[in-house]
Amino acid sequence: VQLQASGGGLVQAGGSLKLSCAASGRTFRSYVMGWFRQAPGKEREFVAAINRSGGYTIYADSVKGRFTISRDNAKNTAYLRMNSLKPEDTAVYFCAAGSVVADTARAYDYWGQGTLVTVSS
């Protein structure tokens, strides 16, 4: 599966953005989807993940209550709604596809190219 992340941009602290991850092919619904982020000079970190049906989600503590992961299997697209953004949310955000819901990057087999989110204070 090929993944294309989009929706990043510049936003003020307290604002919102919605990222999209469009997948190619007809097997999207067979994959668990995850979002990760990498800030300058830091390691890639887990943000959120969702199971195949969309009925089970997990989040990093740092985004819990502010971010919402979702998916539309009919549109082959996963989403990350980000509210109450903080400057520390600034990073390149990556979507990924895998076979198990997990908070570790090694659990995901396919990765998109990333989209930059910049939150100004």
Side-chain angles (χ1 to χ4, degrees):
V1 63
Q2 292 184 321
L3 305 175
Q4 179 78 31
S6 63
L10 175 64
V11 63
Q12 289 188 331
S16 298
L17 279 176
K18 186 174 183 178
L19 306 184
S20 298
C21 177
S24 64
R26 293 177 287 181
T27 59
F28 174 76
R29 65 180 65 246
S30 68
Y31 291 100
V32 167
M33 297 300 297
W35 285 95
F36 289 75
R37 67 186 182 186
Q38 188 166 16
K42 295 188 177 181
E43 294 186 352
R44 190 170 299 190
E45 66 173 0
F46 169 74
V47 175
I50 189 167
N51 71 343
R52 293 170 180 81
S53 68
Y56 175 67
T57 58
I58 60 172
Y59 296 91
D61 288 343
S62 60
V63 307
K64 202 170 294 182
R66 300 188 297 122
F67 291 12
T68 302
I69 188 172
S70 61
R71 65 189 298 161
D72 186 337
N73 287 340
K75 295 183 177 180
N76 285 1
T77 303
Y79 304 97
L80 184 69
R81 176 68 179 182
M82 306 184 294
N83 295 329
S84 302
L85 283 161
K86 304 175 181 180
E88 52 263 43
D89 294 318
T90 294
V92 176
Y93 283 71
F94 299 88
C95 59
S99 56
V100 295
V101 176
D103 61 1
T104 56
R106 64 178 179 270
Y108 295 84
D109 302 308
Y110 304 97
W111 291 81
Q113 87 291 356
T115 184
L116 177 62
V117 173
T118 303
V119 184
S120 63
S121 58

